[in-house]
Amino acid sequence: MTAPEVQDYVGFDTITQQMERKFLKRGFNLNVILVGESGMGKSTLVNSIFSTHLVDSQGRRTAQEVIRKTTEISPVTQTLEENGVRVRLTIIDTPGFGDHCNNEGCWIQVIKYIKDQHAAYLESELKPQRARIIEDSRVHACLYFLNPGSRGLRPLDVEVLRRLTEVTNVIPVIAKADSMTTEERTLFKRRVKEEMSFHRISVYPYACEFDDDEDRMLNASIRDLVPFAVVGSEETIDVDGKPVRGRRHGWGVINIYDETHCDFVHLRNFMLRTHLSDLIEVTAQRHYEQFRTSQLRQIKEMRAQAAAAAASGSGMAAGPQPPSAPLPHQPMTQV
């Protein structure tokens, strides 16, 4: 009679399967904001990335339409499912941004919206009886559209990129890249990289001390492509008997899935196939954490000032009242 085998298998390696089952049940949120002037193909590009019609264009369709006086915020939320994975996708358009001769302050509403989502998450997080799963409306990525006719960063681009990179993950793209020759596109990319370096503008993806060699190589290849020269299209065109998604011109057809024509495939793969989880993680650990620290520091300072005023005998009326609840994010008069 043989002795029974000892069962050495423990089983903690199944945690990934357990996490996957929970994740598939719950799904996840992805929030993307589109920043750029009207006519840059923002809606068309995001519809192309997700291969479905998600948002309608908010831009003017005729020259007679009145230009919006201020930048508006227009979020649209839809639930998508692919191979059992469910995503609650919110696309935030910004009609009116950069459409005036004087665009001073056109970024204020954009920055305010992003910070307001951080504030809403912080408020939910600090409630005495908070929800087990907090609805995440924080902006995970910002597609910033560069005008191909500018041949570089304009003063407005520099100012807005500086402010946006402080609060969210910015991915710059060259809009309507089929309006440029390949030589013009190469020169445009080189100039934008030089100007971002000069102005110390750091866009996503960021260097991380925990990256391994594979991560560093992947991120280096992505930085070589930034800004992505993109073309979007919801139209299917027949080319040599094969249907392709693209745009037809007098000189030929642009196939958006052809990597020699534009960077659309690289952008889509970057956002959805290699860095989707990282976009969400960096939003929580970098941008939201900075906002959270700033807000809690303000609360601490206000309470210290109130305590000092009370100790000096001047009473609470002499200083700011200590908040009994977390300090709400205030609407910004100056960003």
Side-chain angles (χ1 to χ4, degrees), residues 225-239:
L225 292 167
V226 173
F228 294 91
V230 295
V231 179
S233 175
E234 298 181 74
E235 182 182 358
T236 300
I237 300 174
D238 186 78
V239 177

Side-chain angles (χ1 to χ4, degrees), residues 302 306 316-317 319-323:
M302 289 179 65
M316 297 298 294
Q321 296 289 336

Side-chain angles (χ1 to χ4, degrees), residues 47-229:
N47 290 339
S48 302
I49 290 175
F50 291 96
S51 294
T52 188
H53 189 83
L54 296 171
V55 293
D56 295 317
S57 173
Q58 299 290 324
R60 293 190 305 156
R61 298 187 181 277
T62 65
Q64 287 70 36
E65 289 187 37
V66 178
I67 298 177
R68 292 174 173 85
K69 293 183 178 181
T70 59
T71 302
E72 298 177 6
I73 302 297
S74 177
V76 174
T77 300
Q78 294 197 29
T79 300
L80 307 178
E81 186 170 337
E82 183 179 57
N83 296 327
V85 179
R86 188 171 63 255
V87 56
R88 190 171 184 269
L89 176 66
T90 299
I91 303 298
I92 307 104
D93 199 0
T94 55
F97 175 89
D99 289 345
H100 297 266
C101 293
N102 181 5
N103 290 299
E104 180 68 27
C106 68
W107 58 81
I108 290 178
Q109 291 302 317
V110 178
I111 302 295
K112 181 181 182 300
Y113 177 84
I114 296 172
K115 288 188 174 183
D116 282 350
Q117 306 320 302
H118 288 324
Y121 194 90
L122 177 61
E123 184 179 355
S124 298
E125 190 178 53
L126 297 181
K127 285 181 178 178
Q129 293 182 338
R130 61 183 180 182
R132 189 170 64 90
I133 299 175
I134 300 175
E135 190 69 26
D136 188 4
S137 63
R138 296 170 296 183
V139 175
H140 302 119
C142 169
L143 287 174
Y144 187 84
F145 290 74
L146 299 171
N147 191 322
S150 63
R151 298 298 186 265
L153 294 182
R154 301 166 300 177
L156 175 64
D157 296 325
V158 173
E159 186 67 28
V160 176
L161 284 171
R162 275 177 170 170
R163 295 172 183 267
L164 281 173
T165 51
E166 294 177 353
V167 294
T168 191
N169 303 315
V170 177
I171 304 171
V173 300
I174 304 171
K176 295 189 173 182
D178 53 341
S179 64
M180 312 170 73
T181 66
T182 53
E183 292 79 11
E184 289 173 336
R185 188 187 306 172
T186 301
L187 180 60
F188 191 109
K189 285 192 173 195
R190 185 187 309 133
R191 187 172 297 165
V192 168
K193 288 178 183 177
E194 291 173 351
E195 291 174 344
M196 286 197 301
S197 176
F198 177 79
H199 293 289
R200 298 182 180 180
I201 297 171
S202 178
V203 297
Y204 184 83
Y206 313 110
C208 176
E209 59 181 326
F210 301 110
D211 288 345
D212 57 23
D213 291 340
E214 183 179 355
D215 293 330
R216 282 189 285 269
M217 289 179 61
L218 176 60
N219 288 340
S221 66
I222 290 167
R223 292 189 189 99
D224 286 341
L225 292 167
V226 173
F228 294 91

